[in-house]
Amino acid sequence: MSLPILLTVDDDPSVSRTVARDLRRQYGEHYRIMRADSGMDALEALREVKLRGGTVAAILADYRMPQMDGIQFLEQAMDLFPHARRALLTAYADTEAAIQAINVVDVDHYLLKPWDPPEEKLYPVVDALVETWKAVGEQEVAETKIVGHRWSARSYEVREFLARNSVPYRWYSADEPEGARLLEAAGATPEDVPVVITPDGEALRSPSGPEVAAAVGLNTTPAEDFYDLIVIGGGPAGLGAAVYGASEGLRTVIVERDATGGQAGQSSRIENYLGFPDGVSGTQLTDRARRQAQRFGAEVLTARDVMGLEARGSSRVVKFGDGTEIAAHSVVLATGVSYRALAAGGSEDLTGRGIYYGAASTEAPNCSGQDAYVVGGANSAGQAAVYLSRFAKSVTLLVRGESLERSMSHYLIEQLRGIDNVNVRLRTTVEETHGEEHLERLTICEGDGFTEAVATNHLFVFIGAAPRTEWLDGTISRDQNGFVLTGPDLLVDGRRPRAWRPDRDPYYLESSIPGVFVAGDVRSQSVKRVASAVGEGAMAVTLVHRYLEDR
């Protein structure tokens, strides 16, 4: 009984044996693997473990079991081992129930069946469970509380920020009794929302992003003033650069404004990434990359807005919005792109209150039983439509073009065709958005000029790619659309840029400032794919080494 226990509970004996086998293969050296075929049998086993003084690290319970479902079982199991981490095994149809269980029994994860191959779908979840259990020991997991309004744009932004940074939190509506009690205890009013209450009881009224990040324990302050490599942007390109830079001995820091992962991190499913034949969620892929970079020693700064970049002698200096700065021998610029703003009338006022840019994972469950609309015709829009179809009564994809084939991968088009509650409307745009407190309806226009009013509370926007490079004005050469020029594209009639000092041509990914390299979607003429972004991030580090050697 000296080893901590991993317990799996499933009424299907074959599933129970398979889970136990997979767990034993990966964790059998350090954990005792137990399985039970019912909630009652599992509780009896847990009582015996309790009497013998054993410990339980994690419990994986099936949701749909006769006599006692997974949530009912976990409620009783928590009385015996309140600090054991908990995961719910569900079928796709049970996803909404699994999300609700997070609030009912503090479920840490839900795992969709089937989980094969376990290396991609099971083990990362169990790794997270046991790492959390080991980190907190016999203490409760720190939980942040958010009190806000359902249709408050700023409340949505805080929730999305915490979710994307994998910070556990509990949401309370200011209009409900418990939310009102929390506001009163914090000395706040409904006008102060969102109010963020940290695990140690500190109440923040309508806090800024950096204030939230610092309060929940995210790293916002650099450990050093000078590095070998600063990576600006934590998407696939930036994470790729950080992994290779740190693993090759460079003192590396990633600076991210929102959350690591970028647009890829918001993708519900990436199915054409090399090495993942069954697909992988953007969150899972980028979370692995972040943890990998940190394991090699890379530092990650969150909620830091970069406002300037300059060459200062041999140093490359990055300036933050609060007036502070850090410097390094080299920089990789990997800020990616953002979705273009919807041009429809009224959309700006309703952003965050029914209109969302990106997948908005925190909002998807709120689409349950409702009609949702997605604007866009590329892969990100298609992936969002597939994801939302699990929650919404119907999902309508509004595509400006005449076909999906020009902008969306074939596999995704075929998926959409096979989902009954997804509709695709081609040659269609959103002309107006309407609503007072929140989005209530859209005016959409077809190519022949026919307009139609449709009722909806949810519009998800995935249109175009715009680089956020205005802060580089007068510093680095960019093309007419704002994408950063690199390598051969900097040469005009074979001549180097006027201010170029080295006695060589710019390296392939090098910008108009020597030692500043560019990777991923923000680079002019880049291929807008996750795999190519990761590859460019790795290539940029190779060129960083060459630059450092040639100085």
Side-chain angles (χ1 to χ4, degrees):
M1 296 297 294
S2 59
L3 293 179
I5 290 169
L6 299 179
L7 172 65
T8 174
V9 189
D10 198 301
D11 66 303
D12 185 331
S14 63
V15 174
S16 181
R17 285 193 297 269
T18 301
V19 178
R21 179 202 65 199
D22 289 341
L23 292 177
R24 191 171 292 111
R25 184 173 60 189
Q26 182 75 0
Y27 305 100
E29 184 178 352
H30 302 290
Y31 294 88
R32 181 187 174 195
I33 312 302
M34 293 179 60
R35 69 181 183 91
D37 296 333
S38 71
M40 295 301 298
D41 289 346
L43 287 174
E44 186 61 33
L46 288 177
R47 293 187 186 102
E48 183 175 346
V49 171
K50 189 72 173 180
L51 291 173
R52 294 187 179 186
T55 57
V56 178
I59 302 171
L60 287 75
D62 182 48
Y63 175 58
R64 291 190 180 275
M65 294 189 293
Q67 299 178 335
M68 178 185 294
D69 66 32
I71 295 176
Q72 293 169 332
F73 159 70
L74 287 173
E75 282 187 288
Q76 297 189 45
M78 287 169 62
D79 294 334
L80 294 168
F81 292 95
H83 307 295
R85 307 327 308 159
R86 299 169 289 278
L88 201 64
L89 300 175
T90 73
Y92 280 103
D94 299 324
T95 301
E96 183 180 352
I99 294 174
Q100 293 173 347
I102 294 174
N103 285 330
V104 175
V105 290
D106 291 328
V107 167
D108 298 286
H109 290 275
Y110 64 94
L111 182 65
L112 298 178
K113 299 178 182 179
W115 60 86
D116 196 47
E119 291 79 9
E120 297 173 16
K121 299 181 179 180
L122 175 64
Y123 297 156
V125 171
V126 179
D127 285 345
L129 293 174
V130 297
E131 286 174 9
T132 301
W133 178 77
K134 288 189 292 186
V136 302
E138 291 302 309
Q139 299 177 3
E140 296 286 351
V141 174
E143 181 180 74
T144 299
K145 300 179 179 67
I146 304 174
V147 184
H149 292 304
R150 170 70 181 85
W151 299 111
S152 161
R154 183 59 188 146
S155 296
Y156 158 73
E157 290 169 1
V158 171
R159 293 171 63 194
E160 190 75 357
F161 174 80
L162 294 180
R164 292 188 60 199
N165 281 285
S166 301
V167 176
Y169 72 88
R170 189 180 294 274
W171 164 258
Y172 297 89
S173 173
D175 300 325
E176 296 177 351
E178 184 60 23
R181 284 191 287 268
L182 286 171
L183 287 179
E184 182 179 359
T189 68
E191 287 70 33
D192 294 323
V193 300
V195 173
V196 177
I197 303 170
T198 65
D200 60 6
E202 180 185 5
L204 307 176
R205 304 180 188 183
S206 192
S208 65
E211 288 173 336
V212 173
V216 299
L218 297 176
N219 187 25
T220 61
T221 305
E224 303 181 31
D225 296 325
F226 197 89
Y227 296 83
D228 294 318
L229 173 63
I230 299 172
V231 180
I232 305 176
L239 289 168
V243 167
Y244 281 91
S247 68
E248 294 172 12
L250 298 178
R251 291 172 299 164
T252 303
V253 60
I254 308 176
V255 181
E256 169 56 47
R257 179 169 61 178
D258 296 315
T260 53
Q263 285 189 5
Q266 294 178 283
S267 175
S268 57
R269 200 80 182 157
I270 301 172
E271 298 197 56
N272 57 353
Y273 189 76
L274 184 66
F276 290 86
D278 296 312
V280 61
S281 73
T283 299
Q284 186 180 37
L285 181 65
T286 55
D287 181 66
R288 287 183 180 186
R290 176 187 53 78
R291 289 190 285 118
Q292 188 176 19
Q294 290 178 310
R295 183 169 64 85
F296 284 125
E299 188 179 337
V300 179
L301 302 182
T302 306
R304 296 307 301 265
D305 210 359
V306 175
M307 302 298 291
L309 173 65
E310 71 173 69
R312 193 177 296 168
S314 61
S315 299
R316 302 296 175 258
V317 179
V318 170
K319 301 178 180 180
F320 297 123
D322 62 359
T324 61
E325 60 184 38
I326 55 175
H329 292 303
S330 58
V331 170
V332 171
L333 189 63
T335 52
V337 294
S338 302
Y339 296 114
R340 296 187 185 278
L342 189 68
S347 60
E348 185 175 353
D349 292 338
L350 294 171
T351 297
R353 298 190 293 129
I355 298 178
Y356 307 99
Y357 288 85
S361 58
T362 57
E363 281 301 314
N366 292 324
C367 296
S368 178
Q370 300 186 34
D371 300 315
Y373 286 77
V374 177
V375 181
N379 279 4
S380 55
Q383 290 162 350
V386 172
Y387 176 62
L388 291 168
S389 69
R390 303 175 189 172
F391 304 92
K393 180 175 69 175
S394 73
V395 179
T396 301
L397 190 62
L398 304 177
V399 182
R400 181 177 60 180
E402 296 185 356
S403 72
L404 289 175
E405 280 71 16
R406 288 187 177 182
S407 55
M408 190 177 293
S409 296
H410 175 74
Y411 82 89
L412 198 48
I413 296 174
E414 292 301 311
Q415 275 192 32
L416 293 172
R417 287 173 178 165
I419 302 175
D420 293 337
N421 64 334
V422 172
N423 307 301
V424 179
R425 297 184 62 166
L426 303 173
R427 300 174 66 239
T428 304
T429 58
V430 178
E431 296 296 308
E432 297 281 343
T433 63
H434 311 274
E436 294 298 330
E437 183 182 359
H438 58 84
L439 178 67
E440 297 174 2
R441 64 187 186 281
L442 308 173
T443 299
I444 58 178
C445 179
E446 295 185 349
D448 57 6
F450 172 76
T451 61
E452 178 185 1
V454 295
T456 185
N457 297 141
H458 296 90
L459 176 66
F460 299 87
V461 182
F462 301 82
I463 52 174
R468 292 177 172 175
T469 56
E470 295 81 5
W471 60 280
L472 293 171
D473 282 348
T475 302
I476 286 182
S477 299
R478 297 171 294 152
D479 65 18
Q480 61 183 0
N481 295 314
F483 294 92
V484 181
L485 296 169
T486 60
D489 292 337
L490 290 168
L491 304 179
V492 179
D493 297 327
R495 295 193 300 273
R496 298 166 186 166
R498 181 177 302 176
W500 187 259
R501 294 289 178 264
D503 187 21
R504 60 171 176 81
D505 289 346
Y507 295 131
Y508 182 68
L509 298 180
E510 197 168 20
S511 72
S512 57
I513 294 181
V516 176
F517 299 85
V518 188
D521 291 359
V522 73
R523 189 177 67 84
S524 180
Q525 306 300 317
S526 66
V527 178
K528 305 299 188 283
R529 288 290 186 269
V530 175
S532 60
V534 173
E536 287 192 5
M539 184 191 302
V541 172
T542 299
L543 298 176
V544 164
H545 284 296
R546 189 180 301 176
Y547 164 77
L548 294 176
E549 292 168 358
D550 291 346
R551 286 192 308 163

mmCIF file of all heavy atoms in Angstrom, residues 293-326:
data_model
loop_
_atom_site.group_PDB
_atom_site.id
_atom_site.type_symbol
_atom_site.label_atom_id
_atom_site.label_comp_id
_atom_site.label_asym_id
_atom_site.label_seq_id
_atom_site.Cartn_x
_atom_site.Cartn_y
_atom_site.Cartn_z
ATOM 1 N N ALA A 293 9.146 23.635 -23.593
ATOM 2 C CA ALA A 293 10.067 24.774 -23.573
ATOM 3 C C ALA A 293 10.508 25.091 -22.150
ATOM 4 O O ALA A 293 11.694 25.350 -21.896
ATOM 5 C CB ALA A 293 9.399 25.993 -24.210
ATOM 6 N N GLN A 294 9.569 25.062 -21.212
ATOM 7 C CA GLN A 294 9.920 25.357 -19.822
ATOM 8 C C GLN A 294 10.814 24.270 -19.226
ATOM 9 O O GLN A 294 11.692 24.567 -18.406
ATOM 10 C CB GLN A 294 8.641 25.522 -18.993
ATOM 11 C CG GLN A 294 7.874 26.795 -19.326
ATOM 12 C CD GLN A 294 6.579 26.921 -18.540
ATOM 13 O OE1 GLN A 294 5.777 25.990 -18.502
ATOM 14 N NE2 GLN A 294 6.377 28.068 -17.917
ATOM 15 N N ARG A 295 10.603 23.031 -19.639
ATOM 16 C CA ARG A 295 11.462 21.947 -19.140
ATOM 17 C C ARG A 295 12.909 22.153 -19.572
ATOM 18 O O ARG A 295 13.844 21.811 -18.839
ATOM 19 C CB ARG A 295 10.945 20.587 -19.642
ATOM 20 C CG ARG A 295 11.724 19.398 -19.108
ATOM 21 C CD ARG A 295 11.019 18.093 -19.417
ATOM 22 N NE ARG A 295 10.929 17.850 -20.846
ATOM 23 C CZ ARG A 295 11.905 17.274 -21.555
ATOM 24 N NH1 ARG A 295 13.034 16.913 -20.976
ATOM 25 N NH2 ARG A 295 11.742 17.045 -22.844
ATOM 26 N N PHE A 296 13.106 22.743 -20.744
ATOM 27 C CA PHE A 296 14.468 23.027 -21.214
ATOM 28 C C PHE A 296 15.028 24.314 -20.612
ATOM 29 O O PHE A 296 16.176 24.662 -20.871
ATOM 30 C CB PHE A 296 14.493 23.121 -22.741
ATOM 31 C CG PHE A 296 14.419 21.792 -23.442
ATOM 32 C CD1 PHE A 296 13.432 21.547 -24.386
ATOM 33 C CD2 PHE A 296 15.341 20.789 -23.168
ATOM 34 C CE1 PHE A 296 13.369 20.324 -25.045
ATOM 35 C CE2 PHE A 296 15.281 19.561 -23.823
ATOM 36 C CZ PHE A 296 14.296 19.328 -24.760
ATOM 37 N N GLY A 297 14.207 25.028 -19.847
ATOM 38 C CA GLY A 297 14.704 26.218 -19.169
ATOM 39 C C GLY A 297 14.228 27.535 -19.727
ATOM 40 O O GLY A 297 14.644 28.595 -19.243
ATOM 41 N N ALA A 298 13.347 27.511 -20.732
ATOM 42 C CA ALA A 298 12.827 28.769 -21.271
ATOM 43 C C ALA A 298 11.908 29.433 -20.254
ATOM 44 O O ALA A 298 11.140 28.768 -19.557
ATOM 45 C CB ALA A 298 12.072 28.532 -22.577
ATOM 46 N N GLU A 299 11.981 30.743 -20.178
ATOM 47 C CA GLU A 299 11.134 31.533 -19.284
ATOM 48 C C GLU A 299 9.932 32.036 -20.085
ATOM 49 O O GLU A 299 10.071 32.407 -21.248
ATOM 50 C CB GLU A 299 11.955 32.700 -18.758
ATOM 51 C CG GLU A 299 11.309 33.525 -17.679
ATOM 52 C CD GLU A 299 12.240 34.647 -17.231
ATOM 53 O OE1 GLU A 299 13.466 34.524 -17.422
ATOM 54 O OE2 GLU A 299 11.725 35.653 -16.710
ATOM 55 N N VAL A 300 8.748 32.024 -19.494
ATOM 56 C CA VAL A 300 7.539 32.481 -20.181
ATOM 57 C C VAL A 300 6.947 33.660 -19.425
ATOM 58 O O VAL A 300 6.628 33.555 -18.241
ATOM 59 C CB VAL A 300 6.488 31.351 -20.285
ATOM 60 C CG1 VAL A 300 5.234 31.860 -20.990
ATOM 61 C CG2 VAL A 300 7.063 30.146 -21.038
ATOM 62 N N LEU A 301 6.808 34.788 -20.122
ATOM 63 C CA LEU A 301 6.157 35.970 -19.557
ATOM 64 C C LEU A 301 4.786 36.117 -20.201
ATOM 65 O O LEU A 301 4.668 36.077 -21.427
ATOM 66 C CB LEU A 301 6.980 37.237 -19.817
ATOM 67 C CG LEU A 301 8.419 37.275 -19.297
ATOM 68 C CD1 LEU A 301 9.046 38.628 -19.619
ATOM 69 C CD2 LEU A 301 8.456 37.009 -17.806
ATOM 70 N N THR A 302 3.764 36.295 -19.381
ATOM 71 C CA THR A 302 2.392 36.398 -19.874
ATOM 72 C C THR A 302 1.836 37.790 -19.585
ATOM 73 O O THR A 302 2.235 38.437 -18.621
ATOM 74 C CB THR A 302 1.509 35.340 -19.194
ATOM 75 O OG1 THR A 302 2.097 34.054 -19.372
ATOM 76 C CG2 THR A 302 0.109 35.306 -19.794
ATOM 77 N N ALA A 303 0.900 38.218 -20.427
ATOM 78 C CA ALA A 303 0.216 39.505 -20.275
ATOM 79 C C ALA A 303 1.198 40.675 -20.333
ATOM 80 O O ALA A 303 1.035 41.672 -19.631
ATOM 81 C CB ALA A 303 -0.594 39.542 -18.973
ATOM 82 N N ARG A 304 2.196 40.550 -21.193
ATOM 83 C CA ARG A 304 3.136 41.636 -21.410
ATOM 84 C C ARG A 304 3.007 42.116 -22.845
ATOM 85 O O ARG A 304 3.214 41.354 -23.787
ATOM 86 C CB ARG A 304 4.575 41.202 -21.120
ATOM 87 C CG ARG A 304 4.839 40.808 -19.678
ATOM 88 C CD ARG A 304 4.417 41.875 -18.685
ATOM 89 N NE ARG A 304 5.098 43.146 -18.887
ATOM 90 C CZ ARG A 304 6.195 43.515 -18.226
ATOM 91 N NH1 ARG A 304 6.744 42.701 -17.339
ATOM 92 N NH2 ARG A 304 6.727 44.697 -18.444
ATOM 93 N N ASP A 305 2.673 43.375 -23.013
ATOM 94 C CA ASP A 305 2.462 43.963 -24.333
ATOM 95 C C ASP A 305 3.751 44.634 -24.788
ATOM 96 O O ASP A 305 4.249 45.559 -24.137
ATOM 97 C CB ASP A 305 1.333 44.987 -24.265
ATOM 98 C CG ASP A 305 0.587 45.101 -25.579
ATOM 99 O OD1 ASP A 305 0.981 44.400 -26.526
ATOM 100 O OD2 ASP A 305 -0.372 45.883 -25.657
ATOM 101 N N VAL A 306 4.311 44.161 -25.904
ATOM 102 C CA VAL A 306 5.526 44.745 -26.460
ATOM 103 C C VAL A 306 5.150 45.958 -27.309
ATOM 104 O O VAL A 306 4.306 45.870 -28.198
ATOM 105 C CB VAL A 306 6.307 43.711 -27.296
ATOM 106 C CG1 VAL A 306 7.512 44.367 -27.965
ATOM 107 C CG2 VAL A 306 6.748 42.552 -26.422
ATOM 108 N N MET A 307 5.786 47.083 -27.039
ATOM 109 C CA MET A 307 5.455 48.334 -27.714
ATOM 110 C C MET A 307 6.587 48.880 -28.582
ATOM 111 O O MET A 307 6.389 49.811 -29.342
ATOM 112 C CB MET A 307 5.078 49.399 -26.674
ATOM 113 C CG MET A 307 3.916 49.010 -25.778
ATOM 114 S SD MET A 307 2.385 48.739 -26.699
ATOM 115 C CE MET A 307 2.023 50.427 -27.213
ATOM 116 N N GLY A 308 7.785 48.311 -28.465
ATOM 117 C CA GLY A 308 8.890 48.828 -29.245
ATOM 118 C C GLY A 308 10.049 47.859 -29.320
ATOM 119 O O GLY A 308 10.203 46.972 -28.477
ATOM 120 N N LEU A 309 10.852 48.022 -30.373
ATOM 121 C CA LEU A 309 12.015 47.182 -30.610
ATOM 122 C C LEU A 309 13.088 48.036 -31.254
ATOM 123 O O LEU A 309 12.821 48.768 -32.215
ATOM 124 C CB LEU A 309 11.637 46.005 -31.522
ATOM 125 C CG LEU A 309 12.764 45.093 -32.018
ATOM 126 C CD1 LEU A 309 13.399 44.356 -30.851
ATOM 127 C CD2 LEU A 309 12.208 44.107 -33.048
ATOM 128 N N GLU A 310 14.299 47.964 -30.730
ATOM 129 C CA GLU A 310 15.366 48.752 -31.327
ATOM 130 C C GLU A 310 16.708 48.058 -31.176
ATOM 131 O O GLU A 310 16.904 47.227 -30.287
ATOM 132 C CB GLU A 310 15.438 50.141 -30.694
ATOM 133 C CG GLU A 310 15.949 50.187 -29.273
ATOM 134 C CD GLU A 310 16.152 51.617 -28.780
ATOM 135 O OE1 GLU A 310 15.141 52.324 -28.589
ATOM 136 O OE2 GLU A 310 17.321 52.008 -28.578
ATOM 137 N N ALA A 311 17.626 48.413 -32.095
ATOM 138 C CA ALA A 311 19.007 47.953 -32.007
ATOM 139 C C ALA A 311 19.790 48.994 -31.227
ATOM 140 O O ALA A 311 19.777 50.175 -31.572
ATOM 141 C CB ALA A 311 19.589 47.770 -33.399
ATOM 142 N N ARG A 312 20.445 48.529 -30.172
ATOM 143 C CA ARG A 312 21.225 49.423 -29.332
ATOM 144 C C ARG A 312 22.631 48.822 -29.226
ATOM 145 O O ARG A 312 22.919 48.017 -28.365
ATOM 146 C CB ARG A 312 20.583 49.581 -27.968
ATOM 147 C CG ARG A 312 21.131 50.720 -27.116
ATOM 148 C CD ARG A 312 20.365 50.813 -25.806
ATOM 149 N NE ARG A 312 18.957 51.151 -26.001
ATOM 150 C CZ ARG A 312 18.029 51.074 -25.038
ATOM 151 N NH1 ARG A 312 18.386 50.651 -23.818
ATOM 152 N NH2 ARG A 312 16.772 51.394 -25.291
ATOM 153 N N GLY A 313 23.495 49.213 -30.173
ATOM 154 C CA GLY A 313 24.795 48.582 -30.269
ATOM 155 C C GLY A 313 24.623 47.138 -30.696
ATOM 156 O O GLY A 313 23.909 46.831 -31.656
ATOM 157 N N SER A 314 25.237 46.219 -29.978
ATOM 158 C CA SER A 314 25.095 44.800 -30.296
ATOM 159 C C SER A 314 23.870 44.184 -29.635
ATOM 160 O O SER A 314 23.563 43.013 -29.871
ATOM 161 C CB SER A 314 26.351 44.039 -29.848
ATOM 162 O OG SER A 314 26.528 44.147 -28.440
ATOM 163 N N SER A 315 23.182 44.956 -28.821
ATOM 164 C CA SER A 315 21.992 44.460 -28.123
ATOM 165 C C SER A 315 20.732 44.743 -28.934
ATOM 166 O O SER A 315 20.664 45.718 -29.688
ATOM 167 C CB SER A 315 21.863 45.110 -26.744
ATOM 168 O OG SER A 315 22.975 44.817 -25.939
ATOM 169 N N ARG A 316 19.736 43.885 -28.741
ATOM 170 C CA ARG A 316 18.409 44.109 -29.318
ATOM 171 C C ARG A 316 17.460 44.302 -28.144
ATOM 172 O O ARG A 316 17.306 43.404 -27.311
ATOM 173 C CB ARG A 316 17.990 42.921 -30.186
ATOM 174 C CG ARG A 316 18.977 42.636 -31.328
ATOM 175 C CD ARG A 316 19.031 43.796 -32.303
ATOM 176 N NE ARG A 316 20.032 43.649 -33.348
ATOM 177 C CZ ARG A 316 21.205 44.262 -33.351
ATOM 178 N NH1 ARG A 316 21.537 45.060 -32.335
ATOM 179 N NH2 ARG A 316 22.046 44.101 -34.352
ATOM 180 N N VAL A 317 16.837 45.473 -28.072
ATOM 181 C CA VAL A 317 16.086 45.883 -26.888
ATOM 182 C C VAL A 317 14.588 45.816 -27.176
ATOM 183 O O VAL A 317 14.108 46.347 -28.185
ATOM 184 C CB VAL A 317 16.477 47.306 -26.453
ATOM 185 C CG1 VAL A 317 15.672 47.720 -25.226
ATOM 186 C CG2 VAL A 317 17.977 47.370 -26.158
ATOM 187 N N VAL A 318 13.846 45.157 -26.291
ATOM 188 C CA VAL A 318 12.390 45.032 -26.387
ATOM 189 C C VAL A 318 11.778 45.912 -25.299
ATOM 190 O O VAL A 318 12.107 45.777 -24.118
ATOM 191 C CB VAL A 318 11.955 43.562 -26.209
ATOM 192 C CG1 VAL A 318 10.442 43.459 -26.073
ATOM 193 C CG2 VAL A 318 12.460 42.709 -27.371
ATOM 194 N N LYS A 319 10.872 46.801 -25.713
ATOM 195 C CA LYS A 319 10.251 47.746 -24.782
ATOM 196 C C LYS A 319 8.812 47.336 -24.506
ATOM 197 O O LYS A 319 8.043 47.042 -25.430
ATOM 198 C CB LYS A 319 10.284 49.155 -25.376
ATOM 199 C CG LYS A 319 11.693 49.650 -25.693
ATOM 200 C CD LYS A 319 11.653 51.033 -26.336
ATOM 201 C CE LYS A 319 13.046 51.540 -26.650
ATOM 202 N NZ LYS A 319 13.014 52.889 -27.285
ATOM 203 N N PHE A 320 8.424 47.360 -23.226
ATOM 204 C CA PHE A 320 7.074 47.007 -22.825
ATOM 205 C C PHE A 320 6.209 48.252 -22.661
ATOM 206 O O PHE A 320 6.712 49.374 -22.552
ATOM 207 C CB PHE A 320 7.093 46.223 -21.512
ATOM 208 C CG PHE A 320 7.802 44.900 -21.604
ATOM 209 C CD1 PHE A 320 8.869 44.607 -20.765
ATOM 210 C CD2 PHE A 320 7.402 43.951 -22.524
ATOM 211 C CE1 PHE A 320 9.519 43.384 -20.837
ATOM 212 C CE2 PHE A 320 8.044 42.728 -22.609
ATOM 213 C CZ PHE A 320 9.104 42.446 -21.769
ATOM 214 N N GLY A 321 4.901 48.005 -22.612
ATOM 215 C CA GLY A 321 3.955 49.102 -22.498
ATOM 216 C C GLY A 321 4.056 49.877 -21.207
ATOM 217 O O GLY A 321 3.653 51.045 -21.148
ATOM 218 N N ASP A 322 4.603 49.260 -20.148
ATOM 219 C CA ASP A 322 4.717 49.968 -18.874
ATOM 220 C C ASP A 322 6.014 50.753 -18.743
ATOM 221 O O ASP A 322 6.331 51.282 -17.675
ATOM 222 C CB ASP A 322 4.590 48.976 -17.709
ATOM 223 C CG ASP A 322 5.709 47.930 -17.714
ATOM 224 O OD1 ASP A 322 6.565 47.959 -18.621
ATOM 225 O OD2 ASP A 322 5.711 47.072 -16.797
ATOM 226 N N GLY A 323 6.787 50.823 -19.839
ATOM 227 C CA GLY A 323 8.022 51.593 -19.825
ATOM 228 C C GLY A 323 9.264 50.788 -19.497
ATOM 229 O O GLY A 323 10.375 51.292 -19.656
ATOM 230 N N THR A 324 9.127 49.548 -19.041
ATOM 231 C CA THR A 324 10.290 48.715 -18.760
ATOM 232 C C THR A 324 10.792 48.071 -20.047
ATOM 233 O O THR A 324 10.115 48.112 -21.087
ATOM 234 C CB THR A 324 9.955 47.630 -17.729
ATOM 235 O OG1 THR A 324 8.914 46.787 -18.257
ATOM 236 C CG2 THR A 324 9.488 48.263 -16.430
ATOM 237 N N GLU A 325 11.960 47.457 -19.989
ATOM 238 C CA GLU A 325 12.527 46.840 -21.175
ATOM 239 C C GLU A 325 13.455 45.700 -20.784
ATOM 240 O O GLU A 325 13.925 45.615 -19.652
ATOM 241 C CB GLU A 325 13.290 47.877 -22.010
ATOM 242 C CG GLU A 325 14.442 48.544 -21.279
ATOM 243 C CD GLU A 325 15.112 49.639 -22.099
ATOM 244 O OE1 GLU A 325 14.410 50.377 -22.818
ATOM 245 O OE2 GLU A 325 16.356 49.747 -22.013
ATOM 246 N N ILE A 326 13.692 44.807 -21.734
ATOM 247 C CA ILE A 326 14.693 43.756 -21.601
ATOM 248 C C ILE A 326 15.502 43.736 -22.886
ATOM 249 O O ILE A 326 15.062 44.238 -23.929
ATOM 250 C CB ILE A 326 14.078 42.367 -21.329
ATOM 251 C CG1 ILE A 326 13.060 41.998 -22.409
ATOM 252 C CG2 ILE A 326 13.460 42.300 -19.956
ATOM 253 C CD1 ILE A 326 12.500 40.594 -22.270
#
